[in-house]
């Protein structure tokens, strides 16, 4: 999810609009927005909360490049890390860890029932993305990066490596859904038509490969429709190192100028999302309708994909989560998804999250719905 604060003028103390765009993934930000809490929090100051999907805005490209000085982004780490590697003056202010159904799919007759069974098999590797953001082709190759990281985790859990499998490159799916990196961004009622079709399911069904990586509720629905089965459930692997990927951990990043110029608004925003995460933890059964909307998955797929959602919505910057995030950064650099490497410690600013927690301690509970 991305948030754009648009000031009235350079000298104004307050922006008049807050814009955001969300990926088809569950976040505390998305939940807080759907509950109306974010809108209410800023309305008293005359600051309007608007979504890019509803406005028809042309600002969607900044989901990728983070080149707006007042941008808050909560979403997959590939784009956030790539933007920082390209020199954007962003700061990492929080990390969530959301288990969202990472799976290796196979045909029912494949004989693949564990990670060890992947040895000698053909694994689909989506091609590099070709879109209308040339400087970000590597960073926007989401399906390729997620698939490669998913295979790495599964193989490592069985003491295997890429040397033990055959990676078969498949066409870039984005070219089949419009040819634009912006297709990853939701638009109107069909806003999630892109991400739900990232995975090379046809290659598996047609026998060109033996297994594919997929993620999320919509992919579960697609797998059932295609007659595929779950061969390996990465979420069931006990060591979190084997589940590190684009969404785990998921970063919240902001521009340095937002911290410098609108620190209080950033803190307020984070405080509301923290309270939404509290609400989820207290009553996780109230989430289905919101998650069906956010992920475009069926009730069955949502229940399966996000059964543990309430456990990881709260952002932290603890040492373990930062270490896992650093391993993802190194993985992306090693496999060609980043223009350059950089020091993670210099990217982190814990102050906004600390201030948001302190603010919540001073406030009355949000209403129970």
């Amino acid at each position: 999810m991305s948030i754009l604060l648009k000031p009235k003028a350079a000298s104004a103390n307050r922006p008049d609009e807050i814009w955001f765009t969300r990926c088809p993934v569950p976040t505390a930000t998305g939940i807080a927005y759907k509950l109306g809490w974010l809108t209410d929090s800023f309305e008293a100051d005359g600051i309007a909360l608007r979504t890019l999907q509803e406005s028809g805005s042309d600002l969607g490209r900044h989901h990728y490049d983070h080149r707006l000085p007042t941008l808050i982004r909560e979403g997959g780490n590939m784009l956030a890390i790539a933007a920082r590697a390209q020199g954007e003056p962003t700061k990492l202010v929080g990390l969530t860890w959301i288990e969202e159904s990472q799976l290796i799919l196979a045909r029912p007759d494949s004989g693949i029932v564990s990670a060890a069974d992947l040895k000698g098999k053909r694994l689909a590797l989506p091609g590099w993305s070709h879109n209308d953001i040339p400087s970000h082709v590597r960073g926007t190759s989401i399906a390729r990066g997620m698939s490669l990281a998913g295979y790495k985790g599964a193989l490592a859990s069985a003491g295997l490596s890429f040397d033990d499998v055959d990676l078969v490159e498949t066409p870039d799916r984005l070219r089949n859904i419009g040819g634009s990196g912006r297709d990853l961004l939701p638009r109107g009622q069909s806003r999630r038509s892109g991400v739900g079709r990232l995975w090379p399911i046809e290659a598996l069904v047609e026998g060109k490969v033996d297994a594919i990586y997929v993620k999320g509720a919509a992919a579960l629905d697609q797998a059932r429709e295609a007659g595929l089965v779950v061969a390996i459930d990465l979420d069931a692997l006990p060591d979190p190192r084997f589940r590190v990927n684009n969404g785990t951990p998921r970063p919240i990043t902001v521009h340095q100028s937002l911290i410098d110029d609108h620190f209080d608004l950033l803190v307020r925003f984070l405080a509301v999302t923290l309270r939404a995460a509290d609400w989820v933890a207290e009553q996780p059964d109230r989430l289905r309708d919101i998650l069906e909307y956010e992920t475009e998955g069926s009730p069955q797929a949502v229940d399966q994909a996000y059964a543990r959602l309430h456990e990881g919505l709260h952002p932290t910057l603890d040492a373990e989560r930062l270490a896992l995030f650093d391993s993802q950064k190194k993985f992306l650099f090693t496999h060609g998804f980043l223009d350059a490497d950089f020091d993670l410690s210099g990217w982190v600013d814990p102050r906004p999250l600390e201030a948001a927690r302190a603010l919540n301690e001073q406030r009355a509970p949000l209403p129970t719905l």
Side-chain angles (χ1 to χ4, degrees):
M1 177 169 298
S2 303
I3 307 296
L4 165 63
L5 299 180
K6 182 181 177 183
K8 295 178 181 177
S11 60
N13 292 325
R14 286 286 185 270
D16 59 5
E17 292 176 321
I18 297 179
W19 290 92
F20 72 91
T21 179
R22 55 198 180 278
C23 299
V25 294
T27 62
T29 303
I31 293 167
Y33 174 68
K34 289 299 294 179
L35 292 174
W37 296 350
L38 279 172
T39 299
D40 293 345
S41 178
F42 290 95
E43 194 172 43
D45 288 328
I47 301 174
L49 193 74
R50 307 188 190 282
T51 71
L52 298 183
Q53 293 77 20
E54 295 164 2
S55 71
S57 171
D58 188 39
L59 295 169
R61 65 190 184 279
H62 296 303
H63 179 82
Y64 298 88
D65 60 30
H66 214 146
R67 287 178 180 166
L68 290 167
T70 49
L71 184 70
I72 304 171
R73 187 180 188 282
E74 182 176 6
N77 59 51
M78 286 184 65
L79 297 177
I81 294 172
R84 180 65 184 86
Q86 289 164 347
E88 299 306 322
T90 59
K91 286 291 185 180
L92 175 66
V93 298
L95 289 168
T96 62
W97 184 279
I98 299 172
E99 308 288 6
E100 49 183 336
S101 192
Q102 296 190 73
L103 307 169
I104 305 295
L105 301 181
R107 294 183 300 279
D109 59 352
S110 69
I112 303 173
V113 296
S114 69
D117 295 328
L118 293 176
K119 186 172 183 178
K121 297 298 191 292
R122 300 167 299 165
L123 310 184
L125 181 61
W128 291 102
S129 175
H130 297 277
N131 52 54
D132 56 358
I133 314 174
S135 65
H136 289 72
V137 166
R138 291 190 293 176
T140 58
S141 297
I142 305 297
R144 186 182 184 90
M146 284 194 283
S147 297
L148 203 59
Y151 297 146
K152 177 179 178 290
L155 292 168
S157 73
L160 302 174
S161 72
F162 291 134
D163 292 337
D164 296 301
V165 297
D166 183 14
L167 295 174
V168 179
E169 189 151 321
T170 58
D172 168 31
R173 294 284 294 167
L174 288 182
R175 279 178 285 189
N176 297 329
I177 55 177
S180 167
R182 285 198 291 260
D183 286 312
L184 284 173
L185 296 177
R187 292 176 182 271
Q189 293 302 311
S190 62
R191 59 199 177 96
R192 289 167 177 77
S193 60
V195 171
R197 293 185 286 148
L198 282 176
W199 315 112
I201 287 179
E202 292 89 348
L204 179 56
V205 172
E206 295 169 3
K208 296 177 181 178
V209 298
D210 300 309
I212 64 172
Y213 167 92
V214 301
K215 189 245 343 166
L220 281 169
D221 289 328
Q222 289 179 298
R224 290 192 187 95
E225 293 168 4
L228 302 175
V229 298
V230 175
I232 303 161
D233 182 355
L234 274 71
D235 293 341
L237 299 177
D239 192 329
R241 293 177 302 165
F242 302 142
R243 304 195 299 278
V244 171
N245 210 306
N246 181 47
T248 44
R250 180 172 293 133
I252 303 172
T253 54
V254 304
H255 264 262
Q256 181 66 58
S257 62
L258 183 58
I259 294 176
D260 295 340
D261 301 334
H262 296 296
F263 186 83
D264 62 326
L265 294 183
L266 171 58
V267 169
R268 187 193 310 178
F269 177 85
L270 291 173
V272 175
T273 62
L274 284 171
R275 297 169 97 186
D278 289 339
W279 178 84
V280 171
E282 292 169 0
Q283 41 192 351
D285 58 323
R286 305 285 297 277
L287 270 179
R288 178 185 282 177
D289 290 344
I290 294 175
L291 292 185
E292 286 179 40
Y293 177 82
E294 291 294 314
T295 68
E296 242 189 13
S298 67
Q300 180 183 3
V302 164
D303 288 344
Q304 181 176 347
Y306 301 108
R308 297 168 58 189
L309 173 70
H310 58 287
E311 298 176 7
L313 278 176
H314 289 86
T316 73
L317 289 169
D318 63 70
E320 180 184 15
R321 201 166 283 181
L322 283 170
L324 293 169
F325 191 63
D326 196 36
S327 71
Q328 169 72 347
K329 176 182 69 71
K330 292 175 180 175
F331 168 83
L332 293 174
F333 178 68
T334 299
H335 291 279
F337 293 93
L338 304 181
D339 289 340
D341 198 4
F342 60 92
D343 177 54
L344 181 64
S345 62
W347 194 25
V348 178
D349 189 337
R351 295 175 300 159
L353 191 57
E354 291 172 355
R357 289 181 179 134
L359 180 61
N360 278 342
E361 291 177 358
Q362 305 168 14
R363 292 192 170 181
L366 284 163
T368 299
L369 300 182

